[in-house]
Amino acid sequence: IDDIKTDDSKIILMTPQGKTYNQNMAYDLSHEKHLIIICGHYEGFDERIRTLADIEISIGDYVLTGGEIPAMVLVDSITRLIPGVINERSHLDDSFNEKYLLDYPTYTKPRDFRGMEVPEILLSGDHAKIDEWRYQESIKKTQTKRPDLLK
C-alpha cells in the first residue's frame, strides 16, 4: 500500500462489516483520482490493516470466499460513471439514479413475442408521451418490486 499510495489515494477495504454499497457511493467514488481496493480472502485479513483504509465497503449481507468479486462490482459500477466511458444519459436513466426509481420496462423486436405486444405508446413517436409513460412505469415497478426505495 505504501508503495502505490499517493496524496490523491482513497483506500477501500472490502468487508462484510463495511458500509453497504449503493449507487450514491459509486457516484462519489467516481470522482476520486486514485482508488486502492484491499480484498481479504477466506478468513479475511489481519485486523491491523483496517488502520490503512479510508472506508470499509460491503456489497451486501452475505459472505464470499474473498473480496475480489466485490472489488469487481465496485470497479464496474464506478468506471461506467467516469465521463467518456459510456454515454452519460445511459447511467442517468438507470435504476437507482437521482430519482431513486427502478428503470422502466424495456422492449425490443419483434413487436409481438408469444402474444405479448410492445406497448403502442412506445411506437407512437411522441417523445413527451413516451417519457411520461416511462416515468409512470418506473414508479409502478418500484412500488411493486422495491417499495423501500420510494421516499
Side-chain angles (χ1 to χ4, degrees), residues 49-94:
I49 198 95
R50 292 182 194 281
T51 63
L52 301 177
D54 297 307
I55 185 171
E56 296 184 20
I57 294 177
S58 168
I59 63 164
D61 294 338
Y62 50 89
V63 179
L64 301 171
T65 56
E68 299 85 3
I69 291 173
M72 289 170 54
V73 168
L74 260 67
V75 169
D76 187 75
S77 64
I78 293 166
T79 302
R80 64 189 308 278
L81 300 175
I82 296 171
V85 173
I86 65 169
N87 181 309
E88 183 179 20
R89 193 76 238 155
S90 295
H91 71 76
L92 292 176
D93 288 338
D94 282 343

Side-chain angles (χ1 to χ4, degrees), residues 112-125:
D112 180 312
F113 177 73
R114 298 181 179 175
M116 296 175 281
E117 297 275 337
V118 172
E120 274 304 313
I121 188 70
L122 298 179
L123 305 171
S124 71

Side-chain angles (χ1 to χ4, degrees), residues 96 100 142-143 145-151:
F96 310 110
Y100 294 96
T142 306
Q143 285 172 329
K145 296 183 176 211
R146 289 290 307 274
D148 58 299
L149 295 175
L150 296 173
K151 293 183 177 191

Side-chain angles (χ1 to χ4, degrees), residues 16-76:
Q17 300 166 25
K19 184 175 179 182
T20 304
Y21 190 64
N22 61 36
Q23 189 67 24
N24 286 336
M25 292 171 76
Y27 277 110
D28 290 344
L29 291 171
S30 73
H31 298 295
E32 295 290 337
K33 297 250 188 242
H34 185 235
L35 298 176
I36 299 172
I37 304 173
I38 302 173
C39 306
H41 199 69
Y42 289 114
E43 288 300 316
F45 34 74
D46 188 301
E47 191 66 21
R48 296 168 289 185
I49 198 95
R50 292 182 194 281
T51 63
L52 301 177
D54 297 307
I55 185 171
E56 296 184 20
I57 294 177
S58 168
I59 63 164
D61 294 338
Y62 50 89
V63 179
L64 301 171
T65 56
E68 299 85 3
I69 291 173
M72 289 170 54
V73 168
L74 260 67
V75 169
D76 187 75

